[in-house]
Amino acid sequence: MELKRLRKPVLFLSNSSRRRETNSAALEKLGVGPDLYVDLITSGEVSWRILAGACDVMDHITTIKEAKNILTFGNGSDDVEYMRALKEKNVAADAAEADLLLARGCFSLYGPEVKQASWEDFDAQLRLAAAGRVPMLVANPDVVRPDGNDSPMPGRLAQRYRELGGPDPTFVGKPYAEVFQLALERLQEAGVPATARVCMVGDSVRHDVRGACAAGLDVVLLCSGVHSEALGLEQAPAPPRRPSEESLRGFLGALPPEETPTYVTAALAWGEVEDGRVSEESEVAVCGLACVDIAQEVEAFPAADAK
């Protein structure tokens, strides 16, 4: 609400493998209605549009767009609806029948029906696909879920596929340039000048910070996400807290320049976080060089040539 009042356009860029409408409904349940943001771009929506031939992102990868038989590593929630909307695609029974692997989650296998799957089930299909050099489209590049248990995400499937000798997967989402370009184009369509200063907010140095830095954006790193343990904090939804100076220094000092955030803060909140509560004033840590003007109060305006 405060950002809208200040006329600061907001766009959500998410690595969720679900489609836009599903995530929009989830935001609305949290009190964030569509009137509060310009757009919501998800990896799952962009991936679906690529497969449907409705998006020119990665237009050069014909093996992805022309694939007909797809084996889906699913999230176990909306896999049927996601694939059913791709009317010209077929559901592959297994990796031997597939000409594309679609990595959306680590909960189920969809082909020809959705069934809960273990990591051993995934591994067997990945081995079979690797032997046949079946391409993989990753609709969520995240490696772990920030759930306190480091549960595996589709990015982990891609890592395993490479280990088994499979072809390099195609990733849709942060930190890859295509989705950042889509986001910037969408902001410009909404009236944001191409010269405007854009700031990314996220909790992952590997995805949010790396992608934003490569796109030439400032970036705010939230401490309560995937790096909370490294910063000596409890992971969200625990109340947000600032890391100690020692923990923050050690964490930032180990990062390469391409993963170093512009700013660090405990939480994205309108106010300062103190003991898990938000007060009226906010504070961020500046990482790098900060140039500021010095203002001094004087008794009278200096005459010409006076010091």
Side-chain angles (χ1 to χ4, degrees), residues 1-10:
M1 290 293 291
E2 291 291 341
L3 290 173
K4 183 177 181 179
R5 183 180 65 81
L6 294 171
R7 297 181 181 178
K8 305 287 187 184
V10 173

Side-chain angles (χ1 to χ4, degrees), residues 9-117:
V10 173
L11 183 145
F12 288 101
L13 182 59
S14 169
N15 274 1
S16 167
S17 64
R18 300 170 187 262
R19 297 196 62 190
R20 184 188 189 281
E21 292 79 5
T22 306
N23 287 276
S24 180
L27 282 175
E28 193 144 21
K29 287 181 179 179
L30 296 173
V32 183
D35 60 312
L36 296 178
Y37 54 89
V38 168
D39 204 352
L40 166 59
I41 298 174
T42 72
S43 300
E45 179 68 27
V46 177
S47 297
W48 186 92
R49 292 177 66 80
I50 289 172
L51 293 171
C55 181
D56 59 4
V57 173
M58 300 177 182
D59 204 34
H60 60 288
I61 307 177
T62 56
T63 54
I64 300 291
K65 293 203 168 192
E66 294 176 0
K68 294 295 183 184
N69 301 309
I70 302 174
L71 177 64
T72 301
F73 295 76
N75 58 28
S77 177
D78 65 346
D79 302 310
V80 174
E81 295 82 358
Y82 191 93
M83 289 301 301
R84 195 172 281 164
L86 294 168
K87 300 185 185 301
E88 297 185 4
K89 306 296 183 182
N90 302 315
V91 176
D94 57 26
E97 188 180 289
D99 46 28
L100 177 67
L101 304 182
L102 176 60
R104 299 189 64 230
C106 295
F107 293 94
S108 64
L109 280 167
Y110 180 29
E113 59 184 22
V114 178
K115 61 179 181 179
Q116 190 172 356

Side-chain angles (χ1 to χ4, degrees), residues 57 76 111 136 141 197 228 258 278:
V57 173
M136 172 186 277
R197 294 182 61 192
S228 56
E258 63 270 19
V278 178

Side-chain angles (χ1 to χ4, degrees), residues 29-300:
K29 287 181 179 179
L30 296 173
V32 183
D35 60 312
L36 296 178
Y37 54 89
V38 168
D39 204 352
L40 166 59
I41 298 174
T42 72
S43 300
E45 179 68 27
V46 177
S47 297
W48 186 92
R49 292 177 66 80
I50 289 172
L51 293 171
C55 181
D56 59 4
V57 173
M58 300 177 182
D59 204 34
H60 60 288
I61 307 177
T62 56
T63 54
I64 300 291
K65 293 203 168 192
E66 294 176 0
K68 294 295 183 184
N69 301 309
I70 302 174
L71 177 64
T72 301
F73 295 76
N75 58 28
S77 177
D78 65 346
D79 302 310
V80 174
E81 295 82 358
Y82 191 93
M83 289 301 301
R84 195 172 281 164
L86 294 168
K87 300 185 185 301
E88 297 185 4
K89 306 296 183 182
N90 302 315
V91 176
D94 57 26
E97 188 180 289
D99 46 28
L100 177 67
L101 304 182
L102 176 60
R104 299 189 64 230
C106 295
F107 293 94
S108 64
L109 280 167
Y110 180 29
E113 59 184 22
V114 178
K115 61 179 181 179
Q116 190 172 356
S118 65
W119 194 258
E120 289 72 23
D121 296 325
F122 293 144
D123 208 63
Q125 294 298 322
L126 291 174
R127 287 179 184 276
L128 192 58
R133 306 294 294 171
V134 179
M136 172 186 277
L137 179 64
V138 183
N140 183 339
D142 289 354
V143 176
V144 296
R145 183 188 300 275
D147 58 0
N149 299 314
D150 289 340
S151 301
M153 295 289 279
R156 182 70 61 80
L157 289 171
Q159 288 179 346
R160 180 57 179 158
Y161 198 43
R162 280 173 169 155
E163 291 170 2
L164 293 170
D168 285 343
T170 298
F171 294 90
V172 178
K174 302 173 290 185
Y176 299 95
E178 292 83 1
V179 291
F180 281 90
Q181 185 59 39
L182 276 177
L184 292 173
E185 289 174 1
R186 184 66 189 90
L187 286 171
Q188 289 173 31
E189 290 170 4
V192 177
T195 55
R197 294 182 61 192
V198 179
C199 185
M200 176 77 185
V201 179
D203 71 331
S204 168
V205 297
R206 181 175 181 179
H207 299 96
D208 302 304
V209 178
R210 178 180 281 268
C213 288
L217 310 179
D218 286 345
V219 55
V220 177
L221 178 69
L222 305 179
C223 296
S224 56
V226 294
H227 304 299
S228 56
E229 184 177 350
L231 289 165
L233 301 170
E234 286 186 72
Q235 198 169 73
R241 299 182 187 279
R242 294 198 192 100
S244 68
E245 289 189 18
E246 182 181 0
S247 296
L248 185 59
R249 234 185 346 257
F251 178 78
L252 294 173
L255 296 176
E258 63 270 19
E259 292 183 355
T260 299
T262 319
Y263 310 101
V264 177
T265 189
L268 182 60
W270 199 261
E272 184 178 5
V273 176
E274 291 181 351
D275 297 325
R277 298 187 303 274
V278 178
S279 64
E280 294 180 356
E281 297 181 357
S282 60
E283 178 180 330
V284 296
V286 179
C287 313
L289 178 65
C291 299
V292 296
D293 293 329
I294 298 176
Q296 291 181 302
E297 184 176 350
V298 294
E299 293 181 357

